[in-house]
Amino acid sequence: MKVFNNVIEMVGNTPMVKVTNMDTGPCELYFKLELQNPGGSIKDRIAVEMVEQAEKQGKLKPGDTIIEATAGNTGLGLALVASSKGYPLKIVMPDKMSQEKVNNLRAMGAEVVQTRSDVQKGHPEYYQDMAARMAEENGYYYVNQFENPANVDAHYKTTGPEIWEQMEGNLDAFVCGVGSGGTLTGVGRYLREQNSQVDLVLADPAGSILEPLVNRNEEVEAGSWLAEGIGEDFIPTICDLKLANTAFAISDKEGMQTARKVLEKEGVMVGSSSGTLIAAALRYCQQQTEPKRVVTLACDTGNRYLSKLFNDDWMREQNLL
């Protein structure tokens, strides 16, 4: 058993587990347990890479303040890295995110600014526009995961190779979502370089603009959805959406009920974005006529959603039970 020098060294090399108690049709479905990163989500990977690349490029110097716009998990990953390296951190997040994430960020020493979740890109109170403006006015380093190539690099260098190695090169499909687009682009490019026939499947919350673009090349107005950290009202700069062969639109009800079922049947406690991914992966598997080996992600821990997804009263209020 390895002894680590610090928490940052523990990011990555997450385990893979086979699904045994859910209907996967003729397929084998595997979860890559990203919730076992020290910060509890896949976003730890990009936090490390984005900060370390900024340091190497001289964009981030000792004493600088880091600022980021996030649904929460990238913020928590950055809090881990910032506290380990001694940077002050400010996080701008939409007000629909769970209170657990806000409390967690503050407990880790980050300053949290909450802004409106009912406005879109271009509005001064849209979380990304607000973070960019605060960075400009105060000289903070704006990480900007949505345009930062280091986000893609993290997945191309670590997540993709780990999946390929754990599946021993025998992989037919990978199911992921798009929040910033780093996972689809980084993992997708790596897997396609190993085998050009790998299916890349997009899981998208109903209301997001991405599923209609992938499946029908149709541009739609963004709606609203409750799943956190997944789905978009624009295409992030780093997102290579053309990599996705097909997409599934998953309602909040289906995604959240799937997340609850995963805990009940498989003993893995995941958040709302993972529920969306796993619901899409199950649908994909059930549609197949021949056996395939399919991987999706348990992106983050369900402990961040005890007040929402795992709270019967909240679920009832949202008509999700």
Side-chain angles (χ1 to χ4, degrees):
M1 300 287 282
K2 188 177 174 186
V3 175
F4 297 94
N5 293 311
N6 57 50
V7 165
I8 296 175
E9 286 185 3
M10 294 164 60
V11 174
N13 293 311
T14 54
M16 186 83 79
V17 65
K18 187 178 179 180
V19 173
T20 49
N21 297 314
M22 299 178 85
D23 177 11
T24 59
C27 301
E28 290 178 7
L29 177 60
Y30 297 83
F31 299 156
K32 185 150 174 66
L33 300 183
E34 288 299 300
L35 49 80
Q36 292 206 8
N37 281 303
S41 90
I42 191 168
K43 298 293 192 174
D44 287 5
R45 294 177 185 267
I46 69 170
V48 173
E49 188 71 21
M50 292 188 301
V51 167
E52 291 186 347
Q53 281 202 27
E55 288 173 331
K56 279 181 197 145
Q57 292 159 3
K59 294 175 182 171
L60 183 59
K61 298 170 208 64
D64 285 354
T65 295
I66 297 172
I67 189 167
E68 180 59 328
T70 166
N73 282 324
T74 301
L76 287 155
L78 285 168
L80 207 69
V81 179
S83 60
S84 186
K85 289 173 173 278
Y87 296 107
L89 175 67
K90 293 183 189 292
I91 294 298
V92 183
M93 63 196 288
D95 57 17
K96 78 171 186 179
M97 303 311 161
S98 74
Q99 193 58 41
E100 288 93 330
K101 285 182 185 167
V102 178
N103 295 347
N104 201 335
L105 279 162
R106 288 183 176 142
M108 292 174 82
E111 184 187 320
V112 180
V113 179
Q114 286 183 279
T115 186
R116 289 167 61 180
S117 52
D118 62 342
V119 292
Q120 291 182 6
K121 206 166 174 56
H123 190 285
E125 287 189 65
Y126 186 68
Y127 71 124
Q128 292 166 40
D129 294 84
M130 187 182 272
R133 190 172 64 250
M134 286 172 70
E136 178 110 354
E137 289 168 359
N138 300 284
Y140 303 148
Y141 175 66
Y142 179 30
V143 177
N144 196 1
Q145 61 181 318
F146 300 91
E147 296 183 13
N148 193 327
N151 179 344
V152 176
D153 292 346
H155 294 298
Y156 182 84
K157 287 174 11 185
T158 71
T159 325
E162 284 173 33
I163 290 169
W164 189 250
E165 190 183 321
Q166 285 167 313
M167 298 304 288
E168 297 176 326
N170 182 1
L171 175 67
D172 298 295
F174 173 64
V175 183
C176 71
V178 164
S180 63
T183 311
L184 173 67
T185 309
V187 177
R189 281 180 186 160
Y190 181 86
L191 293 178
R192 284 275 169 78
E193 282 173 14
Q194 313 314 306
N195 175 4
S196 60
Q197 300 306 303
V198 170
D199 258 350
L200 295 173
V201 181
L202 177 72
D204 206 34
S208 165
I209 67 163
L210 304 175
E211 178 271 334
L213 272 172
V214 171
N215 286 341
R216 301 178 292 284
N217 201 22
E218 183 187 340
E219 291 184 21
V220 298
E221 285 285 306
S224 63
W225 57 94
L226 294 166
E228 298 184 23
I230 187 172
E232 269 309 346
D233 48 17
F234 73 106
I235 300 173
T237 310
I238 61 166
C239 178
D240 186 356
L241 203 58
K242 295 189 297 294
L243 284 166
N245 299 73
T246 187
F248 290 89
I250 303 294
S251 69
D252 282 323
K253 187 170 191 173
E254 185 182 356
M256 296 208 191
Q257 288 195 357
T258 301
R260 288 170 74 127
K261 203 170 283 175
V262 168
L263 178 56
E264 202 181 297
K265 302 273 192 193
E266 303 294 333
V268 180
M269 192 178 197
V270 299
S272 50
S273 62
S274 306
T276 306
L277 264 58
I278 295 165
L282 289 167
R283 277 215 228 162
Y284 175 86
C285 288
Q286 289 160 9
Q287 283 181 8
Q288 302 311 306
T289 51
E290 345 177 308
K292 287 190 174 173
R293 282 159 61 88
V294 182
V295 168
T296 192
L297 305 163
C299 311
D300 75 341
T301 170
N303 289 329
R304 294 198 174 132
Y305 308 89
L306 293 173
S307 61
K308 290 186 166 186
L309 163 55
F310 295 103
N311 174 354
D312 286 354
D313 294 333
W314 184 86
M315 290 285 283
R316 216 170 273 118
E317 279 163 24
Q318 306 294 333
N319 295 316
L320 297 174
L321 274 186

